[in-house]
Amino acid sequence: MKTTLIAAAEVDRLETWQRYASHMCGGCHSTCCTLPVEVKIKDLIRIGVVDEFEKDEPPKNIAKRLQKDGIIERFNQKSGIFTLTRMSNDDCLYLDRKSRLCTIYDKRPDTCRNHPKVGPRPGYCAYKPKVATR
């Protein structure tokens, strides 16, 4: 029986990324969920970590609170973009470790909704096949 090897991308090497096809997501290890997730205030409101009444506050005050709460790791004041915290293994804060599924899928940020149309290599993804479990 001949074994077929499936290439696995390296997140930091864009040339290893594969052209995206929708069927890939079901068998992927959720590699895109290890990339930094940039969000705006509207995303943070949708996720439920910023409330509608807070949106008129200075963004740096919101950033300070969210950093203290461990929800964001950075805030770029010039662009108004927040970067969500990643866990020690680089997984997104909202990625379930066992199922490798997003825990806020219906409320996910626009960056995630638009992947892989946007990102480091538009139209491509860092596909890595799921490890078979027995």
Side-chain angles (χ1 to χ4, degrees), residues 22-91:
S22 60
H23 66 82
M24 297 167 86
C25 295
C28 186
H29 187 67
S30 306
T31 314
C32 56
C33 299
T34 65
L35 297 169
V37 178
E38 294 180 338
V39 298
K40 295 183 178 180
I41 286 285
K42 66 178 185 168
D43 295 307
L44 295 170
I45 291 170
R46 185 184 316 123
I47 292 168
V49 295
V50 171
D51 115 359
E52 192 70 41
F53 300 107
E54 272 182 292
K55 74 178 180 189
D56 296 325
E57 279 187 38
K60 69 179 184 179
N61 293 353
I62 295 170
K64 190 179 284 188
R65 178 181 67 78
L66 294 177
Q67 281 177 318
K68 186 179 175 184
D69 293 346
I71 295 167
I72 66 159
E73 55 187 47
R74 275 189 307 283
F75 173 64
N76 183 321
Q77 194 164 353
K78 191 174 183 178
S79 66
I81 293 178
F82 303 80
T83 303
L84 291 179
T85 295
R86 290 184 287 171
M87 295 185 267
S88 60
N89 65 353
D90 283 340
D91 282 353

Side-chain angles (χ1 to χ4, degrees), residues 1-29:
M1 185 168 139
K2 187 176 180 181
T3 311
T4 305
L5 294 176
I6 299 171
E10 294 178 39
V11 175
D12 297 329
R13 292 183 52 221
L14 297 180
E15 68 274 11
T16 65
W17 289 28
Q18 295 182 31
R19 180 166 288 288
Y20 174 76
S22 60
H23 66 82
M24 297 167 86
C25 295
C28 186
H29 187 67

